[in-house]
Amino acid sequence: MGNSDTSNQMWGGRFASGPDRIMEAINASIDFDRVLYAQDIAGSKAHAAMLAETGIISAEDHDKIVHGLNTILSEIEAGTFEFSAKLEDIHMNVESRLAELIGPAAGRLHTARSRNDQVAVDFRLWVKEELQKTHAALTRLIEAFLDKAEQHAATVMPGFTHLQTAQPVTFGHHCMAYVEMFTRDRSRVADAIERLDECPLGAAALAGTGFPIDRHMTAKALGFREPTRNSIDTVSDRDFALEFLSLAAICAVHLSRLAEEIVIWSTPQFGFVRLSDAFSTGSSIMPQKKNPDAAELIRAKTGRINGALVTLLTVMKGLPLAYSKDMQEDKEAVFDAAGTLDLMIAAMTGMVRDMEINTAAMKKAAGAGFSTATDLADWLVREAGLPFREAHHVTGRAVALAEEKKCGLEKLALEDLQAIHPAITDGIFSVLSVANSVKSRTSYGGTAPAQVRRQVKAARKRMAKK
């Protein structure tokens, strides 16, 4: 890219001898912050346009700067740009090359700007773009679940608490639980975009600048809602990165819980779902096996995202205002977490869309484990007027009898049930089937197929508005 001693020229005087190799290695960030090249060049173009508009630099210098920056952008995208660790970071690499291309005019670009506000604007732009991608990815995942929920609004399956059969639900209702979870994630993404949508450019090192800059102009040019309001906070704030990692960690946990269920559901013991070949692998020695590797990897990758959050929280926890070099450690964790989350959401969306539902296995399991016991207790309260605690006791005796006879509650004889409590009539059998159980759960947000269909419709409407 040019003279390797340019770093000495950039710093001059005191640093004329150059840093030694260890200092160079610990100080340089170009190996990872080169990812910000497009944002850095966009920020420089906006800054140059504002400097020209306010008369701080000439129109001629502005034109040279923009031409040079466009050339650098083309070189980076073509893979011909030579990055140098001696120039520390993306900002100095671009500025040095700009000086080679256009001469002294390059030195005027940094007027009324510091690397502190420069890196803040680059990083905010990158995180904002990543959040927008995450929002779109979550939309696709939610839509995949809505399609499955609508298709299986009446498909019965066991509902679990403590991973023990509790009450029958529908698979559509179970899918809608994940719709709620990922909709909250999507909402957090939108909230994070709203909060970070302020432009740091113009805060300079930490105190602002005496040049007559127009921060509203640069904010608008870069697509931000408005400029930041305090120059000290601007250069020392990484809340937007912490918030990204926080919402990413919560979303990853949701993905991991779903992945765990898919792993369980795809076992022969459950057999609730069959994964497509695209998202599973075979065993190297056991031909009968089909491993849910994509789900397992999603479950594991959650640890990387959680680790990234802890990393940045730890970096920031002891920093006095304003900027400290510690904050150079903010990016790798965010870059890694963002790429990991993108992959996790994409893989999960593919799995959900492709997986086949074994409705027969779900229906069989839904009736196991005396899953309609609560329906029996509710019937005793509603039809026989028993207090719920007494109804609970009576139901427990009925379950014990069914266990003894090795049959389901619906297979018990009426006289056996009446021996437990005389108020029981043959009307009890109308609630002991799995299908009738789910149909009866008509409360708002309940598992009744009609409720599930209503919730799918309502969710689609909400999605269309945002």
Side-chain angles (χ1 to χ4, degrees):
M1 186 185 77
N3 191 332
S4 64
D5 292 328
T6 312
S7 60
N8 300 342
Q9 297 165 19
M10 301 293 288
W11 289 114
R14 184 173 166 209
F15 292 91
S17 61
D20 64 25
R21 289 176 181 269
I22 294 173
M23 185 59 196
E24 180 183 301
I26 197 170
N27 196 46
S29 59
I30 190 60
D31 285 347
F32 53 86
D33 70 14
R34 67 176 66 185
V35 170
L36 299 174
Y37 73 88
Q39 292 78 16
D40 193 69
I41 290 171
S44 290
K45 285 182 181 178
H47 187 63
M50 181 274 295
L51 292 176
E53 182 68 25
T54 53
I56 297 170
I57 65 171
S58 68
E60 183 184 357
D61 282 344
H62 167 258
D63 292 344
K64 286 180 182 177
I65 288 167
V66 171
H67 177 73
L69 289 172
N70 285 335
T71 300
I72 292 167
L73 183 63
S74 297
E75 288 176 350
I76 294 174
E77 289 178 342
T80 59
F81 188 93
E82 293 179 33
F83 292 99
S84 168
K86 290 185 182 296
L87 292 168
E88 295 184 17
D89 55 33
I90 185 63
H91 323 299
M92 299 295 263
N93 270 263
V94 169
E95 187 175 331
S96 175
R97 179 61 176 149
L98 189 64
E100 289 178 355
L101 290 169
I102 68 170
R108 295 190 173 90
L109 174 60
H110 211 54
T111 308
R113 185 176 73 169
S114 162
R115 281 198 295 180
N116 293 355
D117 62 336
Q118 191 177 357
V119 69
V121 76
D122 292 1
F123 200 19
R124 274 192 194 234
L125 280 171
W126 192 93
V127 171
K128 182 180 177 182
E129 289 167 18
E130 187 59 36
L131 284 166
Q132 289 166 337
K133 285 195 287 184
T134 304
H135 194 272
L138 284 169
T139 299
R140 291 189 289 272
L141 177 57
I142 292 165
E143 286 169 348
F145 266 115
L146 288 172
D147 290 344
K148 277 284 188 286
E150 195 165 36
Q151 184 183 351
H152 293 282
T155 299
V156 292
M157 68 174 287
F160 300 97
T161 60
H162 310 278
L163 207 56
Q164 304 293 315
T165 300
Q167 294 175 258
V169 296
T170 67
F171 182 62
H173 192 53
H174 198 98
C175 288
M176 289 304 291
Y178 282 107
V179 166
E180 292 297 318
M181 292 161 75
F182 293 121
T183 298
R184 288 195 296 274
D185 291 328
R186 189 169 172 266
S187 174
R188 275 184 279 270
V189 170
D191 290 346
I193 293 172
E194 176 71 16
R195 263 185 294 281
L196 75 73
D197 208 13
E198 298 172 354
C199 184
L201 203 54
L206 80 160
T209 178
F211 289 95
I213 62 173
D214 185 344
R215 294 193 63 208
H216 290 274
M217 179 181 171
T218 47
K220 184 177 180 182
L222 291 169
F224 287 105
R225 184 183 63 248
E226 60 187 327
T228 55
R229 290 170 296 280
N230 182 280
S231 58
I232 295 175
D233 176 64
T234 297
V235 298
S236 62
D237 168 45
R238 290 299 183 268
D239 285 6
F240 63 92
L242 284 168
E243 198 163 350
F244 172 76
L245 292 176
S246 298
L247 67 86
I250 295 170
C251 182
V253 166
H254 291 160
L255 290 164
S256 185
R257 293 181 71 180
L258 173 56
E260 171 72 1
E261 293 206 316
I262 289 173
V263 169
I264 293 169
W265 291 346
S266 62
T267 60
Q269 290 79 6
F270 271 73
F272 286 3
V273 301
R274 180 176 175 80
L275 298 177
S276 71
D277 290 347
F279 295 98
S280 50
T281 63
S283 166
S284 60
I285 62 168
M286 294 169 281
Q288 83 282 7
K289 287 190 72 188
K290 191 172 187 180
N291 300 325
D293 283 9
E296 290 171 0
L297 287 166
I298 286 171
R299 192 172 57 186
K301 286 178 184 293
T302 299
R304 287 174 67 157
I305 295 179
N306 291 349
L309 173 58
V310 173
T311 294
L312 188 53
L313 284 168
T314 306
V315 167
M316 298 301 298
K317 73 172 182 63
L319 298 188
L321 297 177
Y323 181 84
S324 297
K325 193 72 169 182
D326 310 51
M327 291 163 71
Q328 185 168 287
E329 292 295 311
D330 58 358
K331 292 169 201 67
E332 286 179 285
V334 173
F335 294 160
D336 183 75
T340 301
L341 187 64
D342 284 348
L343 185 58
M344 289 168 72
I345 296 174
M348 186 57 79
T349 303
M351 270 192 291
V352 170
R353 285 207 180 279
D354 288 2
M355 68 184 179
E356 298 173 18
I357 310 305
N358 187 340
T359 56
M362 284 188 173
K363 183 177 181 180
K364 182 179 179 183
F370 312 108
S371 64
T372 57
T374 307
D375 297 275
L376 193 158
D378 288 348
W379 185 92
L380 289 167
V381 172
R382 192 172 56 247
E383 302 297 331
L386 271 65
F388 184 80
R389 286 300 170 203
E390 184 181 349
H392 187 281
H393 178 70
V394 170
T395 301
R397 290 176 62 193
V399 167
L401 181 62
E403 281 183 323
E404 185 184 322
K405 290 180 175 288
K406 294 183 173 54
C407 68
L409 288 170
E410 73 282 4
K411 299 294 185 183
L412 288 173
L414 178 60
E415 54 267 28
D416 288 336
L417 288 167
Q418 287 175 331
I420 295 170
H421 199 286
I424 295 175
T425 70
D426 61 359
I428 195 77
F429 295 105
S430 66
V431 301
L432 292 182
S433 74
V434 166
N436 285 340
S437 173
V438 296
K439 282 180 186 174
S440 72
R441 307 291 172 185
T442 56
S443 58
Y444 184 81
T447 193
Q451 271 294 328
V452 173
R453 292 186 184 100
R454 274 196 286 273
Q455 291 297 341
V456 169
K457 188 176 180 181
R460 289 195 197 281
K461 271 189 178 177
R462 289 193 298 274
M463 293 282 288
K465 288 180 184 175
K466 296 177 182 177

